[in-house]
């Protein structure tokens, strides 16, 4: 039969062929399609989870930030309607004042808590001119009780001092509005850093809240108001927030993936010596009569350096983006070349190859984008978690598998194979490692930070990366479903 | 069984299980025959088919409706089979290959040979031979394309094919004679 006819007949015959698959095959496919769909969305879910956690954190942080500050209207209502539950009786107030006085060692101050309320017209405030900025006092020397009812009066408790150092008084007349209980919206965000005088100036005619204790005991007794110290938007605006900070880091990783390195298909051909079809050169040199496979289980080691700009969304949550450079090294240390010939020396060929001797390296340039969230903060330490994705561009700088011992060198055209001698230099094998120029990775990790100052900190922590898209091309296909890397990150942070 | 149309394809893309099953049932028997040529056993061919159809459903959105869907699915199956053979080759126990003769095959031998038997002959080829033979003789790849795809030289592909072909012819002839069909054909 002529050769073309043979192929033609064969093709025709085979094209008619049908084989009914087993019934359970569809179930497997259906399950796998569903499974792969979910796996394909793995990275998406990681990102979503990170964003969700971040959002929860942001809301939580926001809630915490504002929950101590009731809206102004509510504060007014509280002060008007329900001073009683807080300190309902004079006795209670006196008792509390004594406690405060004892605690703060305000022995000299005699506290006189009256049931009086301050008149919006007549309340006066007397800062002690000898006091430090952080201490102040009030007195109701000229106060007049205009309303006798607790429930109707704004309960600004006054303290009366007998401090003889009071030589000068700053008279501040509280304007007549809102039953004297309008919470001040200014000067309240950072009470410890704002002097009383400044506060008075910033009060701009609004009511004064007494919210400081004199730590030295030189000042008149201070009584805390029964409602919280409001922090309003205005005060937030005034507070300077350092939104930008910068991170530098180094990552160390070990990758876990299987790769078919080299030509794992036609070993017969690969090992054939030219002109000697029956005698594979590779076998000759290696003393083998049957090759195994060149499948390689690669522990991929990498070191990466990166810089990130960190933009704070709030106290806990921030967005980070930057640039990363990585050096990756594939150690082909478990090449499986099987010696089926017991008569031939095999020991040197059966021994696993050392990853240190057999390496392929490539550079990787990446753009990481991630969300970071502060989970815990204790003193000078904190714990952050982060998650995000990186886009990488890979560039090889060594296409060779350089081998010092016990390894085959493939010639450039891959038609012959030579066994490398100890410490010999192997030939380049173009395309032996083929990789995609771009790929995507998802990263997740924790950073334990130690703050040396307000601006400087160092951090370290574990990190895991998942390969979103394959690095190696088909010939070196990755066998793992989701190749991953584990490692740790070490770095420093600098804030503006 | 309905012929898959664009509506069914869209349903498959959107993940509708009933449409996916219908598509599978329509093409699976033919595609299993394709996979069967690359595998050593039918069970292995089913593994390949399974992987191939998973890929089909996950990449169906990439299919351009200008071409034949069957050809597209077939291509996915062939590529999956090639990958599978490459990946699993180290597991194969190659049979001892006797030097193939140059015996010609009777013209009727192929016609008379049962498909099942022909599959067994093909499956019994060494995996490297089988792969190159399938790609060249059945799928229509050129040796240059095979070389590129399998990472081997073109000349290697040619020699592989020549030996595969000779071996296949020899075995077909032997099978033909053994089943007494030969006598009837004469």
């Amino acid at each position: 039969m002529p050769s073309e006819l043979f192929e033609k007949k064969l093709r025709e015959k085979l094209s008619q062929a049908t084989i009914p698959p087993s019934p359970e095959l569809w179930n497997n496919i259906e399950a796998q399609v569903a499974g792969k769909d979910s796996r394909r969305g793995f990275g998406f879910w990681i990102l979503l989870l990170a964003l969700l956690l971040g959002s929860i954190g942001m809301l939580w942080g926001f809630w915490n930030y504002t929950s101590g500050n009731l809206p102004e209207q509510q504060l007014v209502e509280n002060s008007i309607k329900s001073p009683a539950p807080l300190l309902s009786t004079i006795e209670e107030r006196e008792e509390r004042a004594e406690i405060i006085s004892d605690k703060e060692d305000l022995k000299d101050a005699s506290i006189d808590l009256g049931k009086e309320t301050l008149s919006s017209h007549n309340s006066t405030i007397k800062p002690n001119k000898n006091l430090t900025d952080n201490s102040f006092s009030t007195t109701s020397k000229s106060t007049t009780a205009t309303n006798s009812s607790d429930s109707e009066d704004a309960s600004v408790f006054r303290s009366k001092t007998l401090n003889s150092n009071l030589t000068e008084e700053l008279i501040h007349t509280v304007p007549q509005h809102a039953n004297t209980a309008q919470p001040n919206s200014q000067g309240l965000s950072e009470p410890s850093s704002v002097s009383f005088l400044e506060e008075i100036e910033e009060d701009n005619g609004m009511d004064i809240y007494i919210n400081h204790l004199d730590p030295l005991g030189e000042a008149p007794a201070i009584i805390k108001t029964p409602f919280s110290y409001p922090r309003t938007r205005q005060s937030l605006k005034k507070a300077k927030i350092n939104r930008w900070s910068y991170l530098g880091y180094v990552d160390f990783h070990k990758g876990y993936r299987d790769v078919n390195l080299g030509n794992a298909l036609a070993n017969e051909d690969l090992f054939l010596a030219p002109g000697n079809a029956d005698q594979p050169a590779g076998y000759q040199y290696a003393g083998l009569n049957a090759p195994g496979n060149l499948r390689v289980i690669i522990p991929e080691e990498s070191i990466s350096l990166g810089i990130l700009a960190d933009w704070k969304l709030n106290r806990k949550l921030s967005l980070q983006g930057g640039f990363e450079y990585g050096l990756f090294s594939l150690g082909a240390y478990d090449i499986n070349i099987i010696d089926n010939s017991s008569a031939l020396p095999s020991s040197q060929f059966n021994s696993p190859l050392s990853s240190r001797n057999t390496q392929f390296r490539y550079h990787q340039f990446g753009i990481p984008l991630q969300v970071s969230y502060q989970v815990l903060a204790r003193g000078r330490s904190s714990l952050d978690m982060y998650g995000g994705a990186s886009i990488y561009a890979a560039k090889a700088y060594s296409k060779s598998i350089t081998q010092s011992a016990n390894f085959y060198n493939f010639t450039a055209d891959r038609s012959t194979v030579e066994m490398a001698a100890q410490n010999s230099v192997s030939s380049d094998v173009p395309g032996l490692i083929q990789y995609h120029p771009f790929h995507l990775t998802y990263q997740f990790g924790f950073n334990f930070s130690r703050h040396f100052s307000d601006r400087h900190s160092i951090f370290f922590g574990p990190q895991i990366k998942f390969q979103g898209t394959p690095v190696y091309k088909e010939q070196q296909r990755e066998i793992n479903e989701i190749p991953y890397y584990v490692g740790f990150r070490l770095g420093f942070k600098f804030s503006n | 069984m309905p012929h898959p149309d664009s509506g069914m394809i869209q349903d498959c893309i959107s993940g509708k299980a009933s449409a996916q099953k219908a598509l599978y049932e329509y093409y699976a028997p033919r595609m299993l025959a394709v996979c069967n040529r690359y595998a050593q056993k039918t069970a292995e061919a089913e593994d390949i088919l399974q992987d191939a159809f998973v890929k089909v459903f996950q990449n169906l959105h990439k299919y351009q409706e200008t071409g034949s869907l069957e050809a597209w699915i077939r291509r996915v199956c062939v590529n999956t089979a090639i990958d599978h053979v490459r990946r699993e080759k180290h597991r194969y126990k190659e049979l001892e290959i006797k030097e193939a003769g140059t015996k010609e095959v009777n013209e009727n031998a192929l016609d008379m040979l049962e498909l099942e038997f022909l599959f067994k002959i093909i499956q019994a080829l060494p995996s490297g031979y089988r792969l190159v033979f399938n790609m060249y003789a059945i799928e229509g790849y050129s040796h240059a394309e095979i070389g590129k795809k399998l990472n081997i030289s073109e000349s290697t592909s040619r020699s592989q094919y020549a030996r595969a072909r000779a071996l296949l012819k020899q075995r077909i002839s032997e099978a033909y004679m053994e089943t007494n069909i030969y006598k009837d054909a004469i």
Side-chain angles (χ1 to χ4, degrees):
Chain A
M1 189 189 298
S3 62
E4 295 80 18
L5 188 61
F6 173 73
E7 272 90 8
K8 189 184 172 191
K9 281 202 166 193
L10 197 64
R11 221 169 8 243
E12 283 172 0
K13 194 169 181 70
L14 290 171
S15 66
Q16 301 162 9
T18 57
I19 303 172
S22 55
E24 65 268 19
L25 192 60
W26 167 247
N27 296 333
N28 294 344
I29 292 170
E30 193 178 25
Q32 215 173 333
V33 168
K36 287 221 174 182
D37 276 347
S38 63
R39 195 164 51 216
R40 190 168 48 181
F42 186 71
F44 169 77
W45 287 112
I46 287 178
L47 279 178
L48 191 68
L49 183 68
L51 287 172
L52 188 68
L53 285 173
S55 303
I56 291 169
M58 194 166 64
L59 286 172
W60 184 77
F62 182 75
W63 176 255
N64 270 0
Y65 202 71
T66 55
S67 62
N69 314 302
L70 299 172
E72 290 186 4
Q73 185 58 40
Q74 196 175 342
L75 283 170
V76 172
E77 287 171 3
N78 281 352
S79 66
I80 292 171
K81 294 177 182 173
S82 57
L86 293 166
L87 290 173
S88 57
T89 65
I90 294 173
E91 288 75 21
E92 282 179 8
R93 295 173 194 175
E94 284 174 343
E95 187 181 342
R96 177 170 169 75
E98 282 169 12
I99 291 167
I100 294 169
S101 177
D102 287 345
K103 281 187 178 175
E104 298 300 324
D105 198 23
L106 298 174
K107 302 294 183 188
D108 297 337
S110 81
I111 300 165
D112 180 14
L113 290 171
K115 198 182 171 183
E116 315 162 38
T117 58
L118 291 177
S119 160
S120 60
H121 281 294
N122 301 322
S123 65
T124 61
I125 299 165
K126 298 179 181 178
N128 187 341
K129 93 174 186 181
N130 294 331
L131 296 179
T132 62
D133 282 350
N134 284 341
S135 62
F136 60 88
S137 64
T138 64
T139 180
S140 59
K141 183 179 177 184
S142 308
T143 58
T144 304
T146 54
N147 298 309
S148 59
S149 169
D150 274 359
S151 63
E152 291 176 1
D153 292 338
S155 298
V156 178
F157 304 111
R158 65 183 181 111
S159 67
K160 196 177 197 177
T161 178
L162 300 178
N163 193 331
S164 58
N165 292 329
L166 285 171
T167 55
E168 186 177 333
E169 292 178 355
L170 171 67
I171 307 299
H172 177 80
T173 302
V174 181
Q176 184 177 23
H177 59 82
N179 277 339
T180 77
Q182 286 283 358
N184 192 351
S185 64
Q186 291 193 13
L188 299 172
S189 61
E190 298 293 340
S192 62
S193 62
V194 180
S195 74
F196 176 62
L197 287 174
E198 286 168 348
E199 230 174 330
I200 295 296
E201 286 164 8
E202 288 176 8
D203 271 334
N204 200 21
M206 299 186 79
D207 291 346
I208 303 303
Y209 287 80
I210 307 162
N211 204 22
H212 289 266
L213 289 172
D214 177 17
L216 302 175
E218 295 172 351
I222 309 299
I223 308 301
K224 194 171 183 178
T225 52
F227 36 78
S228 301
Y229 204 55
R231 285 178 289 187
T232 64
R233 282 182 191 166
Q234 197 172 350
S235 67
L236 267 181
K237 279 181 189 172
K238 288 173 72 176
K240 186 185 175 187
I241 298 173
N242 295 325
R243 289 198 181 278
W244 285 102
S245 51
Y246 305 94
L247 295 84
Y249 62 84
V250 56
D251 288 344
F252 300 93
H253 283 113
K254 191 123 181 164
Y256 291 90
R257 67 167 99 208
D258 292 359
V259 174
N260 281 332
L261 182 65
N263 189 327
L265 167 66
N267 286 335
E268 303 94 338
D269 304 319
L270 195 67
F271 283 74
L272 280 178
N276 187 3
D278 295 331
Q279 185 56 67
Y283 307 176
Q284 270 187 316
Y285 291 126
L288 306 178
N289 63 0
N293 195 3
L294 295 183
R295 174 178 165 180
V296 179
I297 299 167
I298 292 181
E300 185 172 343
E301 293 158 352
S302 73
I303 179 168
S304 304
L305 299 169
I307 52 171
L308 291 173
D310 177 299
W311 190 72
K312 271 194 183 308
L313 295 173
N314 60 30
R315 284 185 302 129
K316 289 178 177 274
L317 191 69
S318 58
L319 293 176
Q320 297 176 336
F323 180 79
E324 184 179 293
Y325 162 77
L327 175 60
F328 285 69
S329 170
L330 308 184
Y333 87 122
D334 192 19
I335 290 180
N336 179 25
I337 298 174
I338 303 161
D339 182 3
N340 288 336
S341 169
S342 57
L344 293 167
S346 60
S347 58
Q348 72 180 106
F349 302 103
N350 284 334
S351 58
L353 298 164
S354 163
S355 60
R356 288 170 184 79
N357 294 333
T358 310
Q359 290 190 337
F360 167 80
R361 295 191 179 94
Y362 65 92
H363 305 279
Q364 192 168 267
F365 302 92
I367 300 173
L369 295 169
Q370 59 192 35
V371 177
S372 177
Y373 178 74
Q374 188 183 77
V375 182
L376 280 173
R378 293 279 184 277
R380 286 182 171 273
S381 303
S382 63
L383 172 66
D384 299 88
M385 64 176 284
Y386 59 90
S390 301
I391 299 166
Y392 289 106
K395 173 70 181 168
Y397 79 87
S398 165
K399 285 184 176 178
S400 303
I401 289 187
T402 54
Q403 170 59 32
S404 63
N406 304 342
F407 190 62
Y408 293 113
N409 285 330
F410 303 93
T411 53
D413 63 0
R414 250 169 296 203
S415 61
T416 60
V417 180
E418 295 174 347
M419 188 187 75
Q422 183 82 25
N423 296 321
S424 68
V425 178
S426 67
S427 56
D428 274 2
V429 187
L432 190 59
I433 298 280
Q434 294 177 358
Y435 54 89
H436 294 284
F438 296 99
H439 58 273
L440 183 69
T441 299
Y442 305 108
Q443 69 266 13
F444 236 141
F446 290 92
N447 281 338
F448 300 95
S449 298
R450 180 74 182 167
H451 302 268
F452 292 107
S453 70
D454 290 345
R455 293 187 170 186
H456 303 97
S457 61
I458 60 168
F459 57 83
F460 69 96
Q463 190 190 53
I464 186 164
K465 286 184 174 180
F466 296 95
Q467 197 71 54
T469 57
V471 177
Y472 305 108
K473 285 194 173 172
E474 197 176 12
Q475 286 79 2
Q476 292 84 34
R477 62 175 294 157
E478 291 151 2
I479 296 165
N480 290 14
E481 293 293 353
I482 304 176
Y484 64 97
Y485 308 82
V486 292
F488 67 96
R489 171 171 285 189
L490 196 65
F492 66 91
K493 188 173 181 181
F494 169 76
S495 304
N496 266 336
Chain B
M1 199 178 297
H3 187 279
D5 55 10
S6 56
M8 184 191 280
I9 293 169
Q10 283 307 316
D11 286 346
C12 289
I13 292 170
S14 58
K16 195 172 175 184
S18 59
Q20 289 177 339
K21 190 175 183 185
L23 189 85
Y24 165 80
E25 284 174 347
Y26 189 83
Y27 288 114
R30 267 173 282 180
M31 296 306 136
L32 185 56
V34 172
C35 298
N36 208 33
R37 285 190 278 111
Y38 288 87
Q40 275 191 331
K41 292 175 183 173
T42 305
E44 189 188 341
E46 287 196 333
D47 287 347
I48 296 170
L49 186 72
Q50 182 176 323
D51 288 349
F53 263 95
V54 170
K55 286 181 186 173
V56 164
F57 290 130
Q58 290 187 332
N59 295 284
L60 200 53
H61 61 280
K62 295 177 186 168
Y63 162 65
Q64 308 286 326
E65 290 195 30
T66 49
S68 153
L69 178 62
E70 182 171 350
W72 185 79
I73 294 176
R74 184 191 175 97
R75 196 170 181 80
V76 173
C77 289
V78 168
N79 285 335
T80 308
I82 292 169
D83 285 348
H84 179 85
V85 173
R86 282 202 303 225
R87 197 168 60 231
E88 301 296 319
K89 188 174 184 301
H90 66 287
R91 292 185 188 169
Y92 293 147
K93 281 187 178 176
E94 301 289 8
L95 300 175
E96 190 182 346
I97 303 167
K98 291 177 187 172
E99 195 57 40
T102 54
K103 197 171 183 176
E104 274 303 315
V105 182
N106 185 292
E107 286 191 9
N108 295 322
L110 262 179
D111 296 332
M112 302 301 286
L113 206 62
E114 283 185 13
L115 256 175
E116 191 182 350
F117 208 68
L118 182 59
F119 272 122
K120 283 188 176 168
I121 291 172
I122 294 172
Q123 285 177 337
L125 287 173
S127 58
Y129 289 4
R130 189 170 63 241
L131 194 54
V132 172
F133 182 82
N134 270 314
M135 291 175 76
Y136 182 82
I138 315 295
E139 314 300 346
Y141 285 97
S142 69
H143 286 301
E145 287 170 327
I146 294 170
K148 197 174 176 184
K149 205 162 180 65
L150 302 186
N151 234 5
I152 58 175
S153 68
E154 192 177 332
S155 60
T156 301
S157 175
R158 284 184 197 282
S159 65
Q160 283 280 85
Y161 176 70
R163 273 183 276 168
R165 189 171 180 279
L167 199 59
L168 192 65
K169 277 186 168 183
Q170 182 185 332
R171 289 180 179 174
I172 287 172
S173 292
E174 287 168 4
Y176 187 61
M177 284 187 288
E178 281 172 15
T179 53
N180 290 328
I181 298 168
Y182 182 66
K183 287 179 186 173
D184 299 334
I186 292 172

